[in-house]
Amino acid sequence: MTHKLFILPKTRFALVVQLSSIALAGFAILRAEFFIRAWGLMDHTLFEWIYIFGQGFIYDIAFISYFYIPFVILLLFLPNKWLHNVFFKVLTQITTSLILYGLCFNAIAEWFFWDEFGVRFNFISVDYLIYRREVTDNIMQSYPVFWILHILFILTAVLFYFLRAPLIKAISVKENFSQRAVIAICLLLIPGMAFLFLNQSQRSFSDNNYVNELASNGPYQLFAAFRNNTLDYRQFYETGDDRTLSHILKEQVDNQNNQYHSEGLYNIYRRIEEKEPPKKLNVILISVESLSAKFLTRFGEQKNITPFMDDWFKKGMLFTNFYATGTRTIRGLEAITLSIPPTPGRSIVKRPDNGNMYSLGKVFKDEGYDTTFLYGGRGYFDNMNAFFSGNGYRIVDQNDLRDAEVTFKNAWGVADEDLYNRTIYEANQAHNSKRPFFFHIMTVSNHQPYTFPEGKIDLVPGEGGIGSGRAGGIKYTDYALSQLIKKAKKQPWFDDTVFVVVADHCAASAGKIGLPVKKYHIPLFIYAPKHIEAGEIDLLSSQIDIAPTLLSLLHFSYDNFFFGKNILALDFNERALIANYQKLGILKNKVLLILSPRKEIGLINIDSKKPSLQKVPPSYPFVKELMSYYQGADYVLKNRLNRWTDRETDLAEN
């Protein structure tokens, strides 16, 4: 049977062209599907349509051309007699089948990734490849994988059926080397041009994030994320005079209790001196997975999925105008632990050489506290164990729990109740040894697949895409917290313990323009009924302010390199730092200012009925303040200014 659709000039490279055409068609169909799903989030101008499908087509070609490089080189140098060998014919058919299956698998993977995150593949997808066990288990528990894989196999078989005859014909052609060389050079010119003239900057032409995502190619983005673990701040972002910005940064972090130890660019190393004696209270700081403020009745939720927190948060200090710095767990942990703004690329938690930094844990450890990081999953995920142990924390993760302690676990780790029960055990051990304790807990239950022990709440756990989903995860998270406090109240250390509850990030982060402010809004709650008065604090702030605020409540005097500030201080300057791995923002006076790659500065009036991104010059108000935080953080990290080991070495040498 002849399939005229695949008839091409007689050359062995026809196979490359045929597979490339199928891939282009597949990418176009997938883009059209995403385009329909995002229909209501775009303005639908002619320019947008041309940009989405035109720029997207260019990225599609670029990825395909990179992918076919080894095959083109192989076909160039493979002698005719080898290519016509039965072994190579069979191998070619197997390879073609695997490529077709891979294209189908990529399409379904991108579909589900978009469904969860609202973007094409990015840094998150890289982590999903690296941490195979957690991700594989999560996928198996969240989707009907068995049926999906079989349907993809059938689709692959159909495509291969139509491609097999022209495939055999292509690898049967006899060509001399010079003929092959001309075609190969023409094909290799395409990836060469893509390497020279195409990069990530072309996908940020529109102010609408969804438009930019639609104009991308998922696999291209995936490999770009591998390549760009960090971004050179001074190469990609608008910069200012270091001396001026250093002075501004010091003004931002300054307060009446500061005593600077030394001068120098961005050197905010200082001592906070409290007038009152310290309160050596225990602290249990809980970073709750994906606890968006919107899930609480206080912030508009109508489904009553957080009954315990709705009541409990009235009995302590609730910060109602509080924001996450980023969109990943490790961004939250970074900000809470180090009190440093997010820098472009990967979180500090994931980077090498990230130990011995001034941190919240170091302050407590210097005060003689049992300083411990407790995680419901396996701590090698996202490099958490290495980061926290390298900064003085003792580690307790899923691997440390005995079988008898685990009543339920899923892809990401043990149920929150099991983690909290171990926390109480660790607290009792510290109390019995007459040591105060600082425990930083990271929960996992409120994460897809949203499975949890049955019979705990009135919702059904999610499994294979069936169940209560996110609502169930939130309600179980709420229930587990209620059990922690119920059991903690029975312990001898309860009256002298401060509980801090904060989200690591929101449940979703995709947005139409710039950085979607509402999707960074999280609660911060501090509870110690014998020591802290109840009330609401409406001051605009973010996760980098947790450490200074908590330590001020305890009246601790300490050395630090924190970029945050005590929210309760009379001179607190309201602002919130929010970012993703490329866009760096500051929210202040109802305005969001954003630094973006390509040295762009944007402004969004968040109170506007139709917010739009406007370009502003470096002279615009607050831009220098914005730069001082992010340019300062970049300088501090590159020059290792916030390392306490370096300072001790300098003191020893002098």
Side-chain angles (χ1 to χ4, degrees):
M1 180 178 179
T2 301
H3 304 287
K4 296 182 179 180
L5 178 64
F6 294 103
I7 293 177
L8 290 167
K10 292 183 178 181
T11 172
R12 60 174 64 183
F13 294 100
L15 177 59
V16 173
V17 178
Q18 291 161 353
L19 287 172
S20 298
S21 299
I22 291 174
L24 280 172
F27 289 144
I29 292 171
L30 185 63
R31 180 172 293 106
E33 291 173 343
F34 290 154
F35 181 76
I36 293 170
R37 294 176 74 178
W39 184 270
L41 301 169
M42 298 177 292
D43 296 327
H44 294 287
T45 63
L46 178 61
F47 170 78
E48 275 191 352
W49 285 44
I50 294 173
Y51 174 64
I52 289 171
F53 292 99
Q55 185 65 47
F57 180 73
I58 292 172
Y59 277 118
D60 294 344
I61 291 177
F63 169 74
I64 292 168
S65 68
Y66 286 141
F67 183 82
Y68 68 48
I69 289 174
F71 300 102
V72 170
I73 294 174
L74 178 64
L75 290 173
L76 170 62
F77 292 103
L78 199 66
N80 286 318
K81 63 179 181 179
W82 287 18
L83 183 64
H84 300 159
N85 185 280
V86 173
F87 171 78
F88 274 99
K89 287 184 177 181
V90 173
L91 182 61
T92 301
Q93 293 181 69
I94 293 173
T95 303
T96 300
S97 299
L98 292 175
I99 292 173
L100 290 173
Y101 192 87
L103 288 170
C104 295
F105 185 86
N106 170 79
I108 198 68
E110 274 213 80
W111 175 271
F112 287 120
F113 192 81
W114 180 282
D115 191 54
E116 182 171 357
F117 298 105
V119 295
R120 309 298 287 262
F121 288 147
N122 57 17
F123 274 90
I124 302 173
S125 54
V126 174
D127 291 338
Y128 272 29
L129 289 178
I130 294 172
Y131 300 104
R132 182 205 58 77
R133 181 173 181 177
E134 284 80 0
V135 174
T136 301
D137 289 348
N138 178 44
I139 292 171
M140 294 296 292
Q141 294 171 20
S142 301
Y143 305 109
V145 175
F146 176 84
W147 293 108
I148 290 173
L149 294 180
H150 281 72
I151 291 172
L152 294 182
F153 178 80
I154 294 171
L155 181 57
T156 299
V158 171
L159 289 172
F160 183 77
Y161 171 76
F162 286 102
L163 190 60
R164 184 176 181 276
L167 181 156
I168 297 297
K169 187 175 181 179
I171 60 178
S172 300
V173 174
K174 292 184 178 180
E175 291 176 281
N176 59 44
F177 184 80
S178 60
Q179 291 174 316
R180 302 199 301 265
V182 171
I183 300 174
I185 290 172
C186 291
L187 289 172
L188 293 176
L189 279 175
I190 299 175
M193 293 175 66
F195 180 79
L196 292 174
F197 301 111
L198 189 67
N199 55 49
Q200 291 289 75
S201 64
Q202 282 97 330
R203 66 178 293 270
S204 57
F205 195 79
S206 173
D207 292 338
N208 187 319
N209 293 334
Y210 287 102
V211 171
N212 292 327
E213 293 294 336
L214 290 170
S216 304
N217 173 277
Y220 183 95
Q221 290 297 106
L222 178 65
F223 286 99
F226 264 116
R227 188 173 66 250
N228 298 322
N229 283 339
T230 59
L231 295 176
D232 187 320
Y233 185 91
R234 292 178 183 266
Q235 177 182 351
F236 289 99
Y237 294 87
E238 184 69 44
T239 57
D241 176 70
D242 281 311
R243 291 189 178 278
T244 301
L245 298 184
S246 176
H247 178 72
I248 292 173
L249 177 62
K250 290 178 180 180
E251 285 185 333
Q252 298 307 313
V253 303
D254 195 22
N255 64 48
Q256 60 183 359
N257 297 332
N258 274 354
Q259 294 180 10
Y260 284 97
H261 288 299
S262 57
E263 297 182 355
L265 287 178
Y266 304 110
N267 193 340
I268 57 173
Y269 176 49
R270 63 203 188 278
R271 183 167 183 80
I272 303 294
E273 286 288 354
E274 290 286 344
K275 297 178 180 179
E276 298 184 38
K279 296 180 180 180
K280 286 213 170 181
L281 303 177
N282 307 305
V283 176
I284 295 179
L285 191 163
I286 308 168
S287 300
V288 181
E289 172 68 39
S290 304
L291 182 64
S292 302
K294 67 178 182 179
F295 295 133
L296 299 166
T297 303
R298 166 65 179 78
F299 300 105
E301 176 58 58
Q302 302 294 318
K303 296 179 181 178
N304 191 33
I305 54 177
T306 55
F308 172 71
M309 282 186 277
D310 288 336
D311 179 64
W312 187 37
F313 284 6
K314 297 175 183 176
K315 300 175 182 178
M317 187 178 291
L318 177 63
F319 294 76
T320 59
N321 202 9
F322 193 79
Y323 291 82
T325 59
T327 60
R328 297 293 316 285
T329 294
I330 48 178
R331 280 299 190 190
L333 296 177
E334 167 191 279
I336 295 168
T337 304
L338 302 179
S339 183
I340 192 169
T343 46
R346 286 194 177 280
S347 164
I348 296 169
V349 178
K350 291 293 293 290
R351 299 181 192 178
D353 188 27
N354 61 5
N356 297 325
M357 296 181 172
Y358 282 98
S359 68
L360 180 58
K362 174 174 169 52
V363 177
F364 282 108
K365 192 170 184 179
D366 288 348
E367 291 289 338
Y369 277 63
D370 176 2
T371 302
T372 305
F373 175 68
L374 300 101
Y375 178 49
R378 300 173 185 85
Y380 67 80
F381 183 78
D382 270 344
N383 204 44
M384 284 186 272
N385 278 359
F387 171 75
F388 280 100
S389 62
N391 285 287
Y393 290 72
R394 183 167 63 90
I395 306 294
V396 176
D397 69 0
Q398 179 180 345
N399 295 324
D400 295 304
L401 271 65
R402 301 181 300 274
D403 290 343
E405 293 180 90
V406 180
T407 63
F408 182 88
K409 62 182 178 180
N410 64 13
W412 296 105
V414 302
D416 287 357
E417 287 176 274
D418 296 337
L419 181 60
Y420 292 153
N421 288 337
R422 179 57 182 258
T423 300
I424 290 177
Y425 169 81
E426 295 288 343
N428 286 335
Q429 293 291 104
H431 178 77
N432 292 337
S433 63
K434 302 187 184 306
R435 287 187 69 191
F437 54 84
F438 167 62
F439 293 163
H440 186 164
I441 301 171
M442 184 66 235
T443 71
V444 299
S445 288
N446 188 32
H447 193 296
Q448 194 176 31
Y450 312 118
T451 53
F452 47 84
E454 293 187 12
K456 302 291 185 175
I457 61 174
D458 58 356
L459 293 176
V460 180
E463 184 74 46
I466 302 172
S468 56
R470 172 72 72 180
I474 290 291
K475 197 160 191 177
Y476 173 72
T477 294
D478 182 76
Y479 170 82
L481 277 171
S482 73
Q483 297 305 298
L484 168 64
I485 299 304
K486 180 180 178 180
K487 293 175 182 178
K489 285 182 176 179
K490 299 177 182 179
Q491 310 306 319
W493 41 262
F494 175 78
D495 285 344
D496 292 322
T497 299
V498 178
F499 292 84
V500 181
V501 177
V502 65
D504 57 349
H505 56 82
C506 277
S509 59
K512 180 178 178 180
I513 297 176
L515 299 167
V517 172
K518 290 183 179 179
K519 295 184 179 181
Y520 287 79
H521 186 205
I522 60 173
L524 168 63
F525 177 64
I526 302 178
Y527 173 75
K530 298 287 186 180
H531 303 277
I532 296 175
E533 292 185 9
E536 290 192 356
I537 308 297
D538 192 42
L539 298 173
L540 177 63
S541 47
S542 61
Q543 285 170 321
I544 65 169
D545 301 313
I546 291 177
T549 303
L550 174 61
L551 295 172
S552 176
L553 287 170
L554 298 176
H555 303 307
F556 277 14
S557 297
Y558 60 97
D559 291 325
N560 75 98
F561 213 100
F562 295 160
F563 282 71
K565 196 169 178 179
N566 173 20
I567 303 170
L568 303 174
L570 295 177
D571 60 348
F572 180 71
N573 176 28
E574 291 189 62
R575 84 286 171 268
L577 302 181
I578 65 174
N580 58 27
Y581 70 95
Q582 284 191 331
K583 296 177 181 177
L584 314 172
I586 186 170
L587 178 62
K588 185 170 183 175
N589 296 343
K590 302 296 183 180
V591 167
L592 176 65
L593 283 173
I594 302 173
L595 294 173
S596 299
R598 298 169 65 186
K599 298 184 180 292
E600 293 179 347
I601 308 173
L603 176 149
I604 299 175
N605 185 338
I606 63 171
D607 273 354
S608 174
K609 292 182 179 179
K610 290 186 177 181
S612 61
L613 186 66
Q614 308 168 33
K615 300 296 189 296
V616 296
S619 59
Y620 191 85
F622 310 129
V623 167
K624 284 187 170 56
E625 181 181 339
L626 166 67
M627 288 181 175
S628 72
Y629 280 110
Y630 292 108
Q631 189 169 321
D634 176 73
Y635 186 94
V636 165
L637 291 175
K638 284 184 176 179
N639 291 276
R640 298 174 57 89
L641 297 184
N642 64 336
R643 310 299 180 107
W644 56 265
T645 46
D646 292 356
R647 297 187 186 283
E648 290 185 350
T649 300
D650 291 343
L651 288 173
E653 291 177 350
N654 295 328

